[in-house]
Amino acid sequence: MAALSRLSKPSSKFFANITRSVYFYSSASAAPEPEIKSYFQNHNFARKAPKDRNVQWVFLGCPGVGKGTYASRLSKFLGVPHIATGDLVREELASSGSLSQQLSEIVNQGKLVSDEIIFNLLSKRLEAGQAGGESGFILDGFPRTEILEEVMDIDLVVNLKLCEDVLLEKCLGRRMCSQCGGNFNVANINVKGGNGNPSISMAPLLPPAHCMSKLITRPDDTEEVVKERLRVYNEKSQPVEEFYRNRGKLLEFDLPGGIPESWPKLLEALNLDEYEEKQSAAA
């Protein structure tokens, strides 16, 4: 968010292009894995044994499922950084770094951000974190996570899941403040259960009063585009899910509702509910 504040009144098209470019980068021609690994090696990212570090988790999930929301909450809860590829791109765009101009051209033209660039930004971020004393991370927005396994130790992959009709409604309800760049949601979701599926209720995430009149819809948040986005994600994510499922590292978590319903259930699934109780007792 600090990076966003340095951008002077960005247009909705600019933000939409960042999201589209980052999200779909994995559908570009894949770079050879040795070349990708070299980014980590060149930046001297060092692997650490579990006893010497905190959690190293990855969040998966369809667009709109809430990866960023839950990853951010868990990062604060556990005291580890939340690293989102979209944020890395935005921070680089707001800087005077060597990639800034190249990324600006890619984003403004709605083109794909390559694997090489994403891995380059990630490796620099991890290296800087290690130098600053960070001992873990929660990573989201990174479809080709199976490649990470060869350069670092991923402890757990959390796969957040929602039925498609709820995801569609959530995505179509997304709004952004054209002035501050804040993200909100006007959808009031109430889906009745049936055929073995539970009822799901999600309250809207409304903006503060000063943002209400400045809300805009992203140009790519249309039913046709969202459905295609979900189709592409499901196609691309299956090999990644299977990779970690076979290694016993995949936790599939069906969100039962909004944050009030899902957060305690997620902590329970991660065996962190007792940790929360101890924190509350110590406060």
Side-chain angles (χ1 to χ4, degrees), residues 140-264:
D140 85 70
F142 204 84
R144 293 185 64 197
T145 47
E146 75 275 18
I147 297 176
L148 291 177
E149 192 79 7
E150 299 194 29
V151 291
M152 66 183 70
D153 299 305
I154 300 300
D155 303 319
L156 180 69
V157 177
V158 182
N159 190 22
L160 300 181
K161 303 175 75 174
L162 267 177
C163 56
E164 186 168 319
D165 54 345
V166 174
L167 279 168
L168 181 60
E169 196 169 345
K170 276 192 70 180
C171 288
L172 295 180
R174 291 193 296 198
R175 299 293 184 271
M176 184 178 71
C177 177
S178 59
Q179 184 170 2
C180 72
N183 293 299
F184 309 99
N185 203 301
V186 299
N188 189 8
I189 298 172
N190 288 286
V191 177
K192 293 182 179 179
N195 298 322
N197 297 318
S199 300
I200 295 179
S201 296
M202 293 187 177
L205 178 61
L206 299 177
H210 62 272
C211 290
M212 187 65 75
S213 63
K214 304 177 183 68
L215 292 186
I216 57 174
T217 303
R218 286 189 347 197
D220 58 338
D221 273 346
T222 65
E223 184 170 349
E224 181 181 3
V225 172
V226 170
K227 284 184 175 179
E228 176 63 10
R229 214 184 284 153
L230 295 176
R231 185 196 68 78
V232 171
Y233 177 83
N234 287 326
E235 179 183 302
K236 298 289 181 184
S237 66
Q238 286 179 5
V240 179
E241 293 172 16
E242 193 63 25
F243 178 89
Y244 282 108
R245 187 179 291 113
N246 290 338
R247 283 156 180 75
K249 294 184 177 183
L250 185 71
L251 171 66
E252 303 200 86
F253 183 77
D254 290 286
L255 293 163
I259 293 174
E261 299 83 13
S262 298
W263 177 244

Side-chain angles (χ1 to χ4, degrees), residues 17 19 44 67 71 108 125 134-135 144 150 154 157 162 167 179 189 193 211 215 221 229 266-268 270 273:
N17 282 345
T19 303
N44 299 316
K67 293 188 299 296
N108 284 323
R125 171 62 183 83
E134 292 176 358
S135 61
R144 293 185 64 197
E150 299 194 29
I154 300 300
V157 177
L162 267 177
L167 279 168
Q179 184 170 2
I189 298 172
C211 290
L215 292 186
D221 273 346
R229 214 184 284 153
L266 180 59
L267 292 181
E268 183 180 351
L270 293 169
D273 47 334

Side-chain angles (χ1 to χ4, degrees), residues 53-187:
R53 59 171 172 76
N54 211 318
V55 301
Q56 293 188 173
W57 292 353
V58 175
F59 269 67
L60 298 179
C62 288
V65 77
K67 293 188 299 296
T69 298
Y70 291 102
S72 178
R73 277 179 162 249
L74 276 170
S75 77
K76 294 174 183 175
F77 185 76
L78 296 173
V80 296
H82 167 216
I83 303 175
T85 52
D87 291 342
L88 296 180
V89 171
R90 281 185 279 268
E91 288 168 7
E92 186 67 27
L93 280 165
S95 74
S96 56
S98 58
L99 281 177
S100 181
Q101 184 175 352
Q102 183 182 355
L103 276 173
S104 182
E105 292 175 1
I106 291 171
V107 169
N108 284 323
Q109 294 174 26
K111 293 182 178 179
L112 305 174
V113 179
S114 68
D115 286 341
E116 297 98 318
I117 291 177
I118 294 293
F119 272 90
N120 191 3
L121 294 175
L122 178 60
S123 62
K124 288 193 293 184
R125 171 62 183 83
L126 292 172
E127 181 194 3
Q130 282 195 347
E134 292 176 358
S135 61
F137 56 80
I138 296 178
L139 179 64
D140 85 70
F142 204 84
R144 293 185 64 197
T145 47
E146 75 275 18
I147 297 176
L148 291 177
E149 192 79 7
E150 299 194 29
V151 291
M152 66 183 70
D153 299 305
I154 300 300
D155 303 319
L156 180 69
V157 177
V158 182
N159 190 22
L160 300 181
K161 303 175 75 174
L162 267 177
C163 56
E164 186 168 319
D165 54 345
V166 174
L167 279 168
L168 181 60
E169 196 169 345
K170 276 192 70 180
C171 288
L172 295 180
R174 291 193 296 198
R175 299 293 184 271
M176 184 178 71
C177 177
S178 59
Q179 184 170 2
C180 72
N183 293 299
F184 309 99
N185 203 301
V186 299

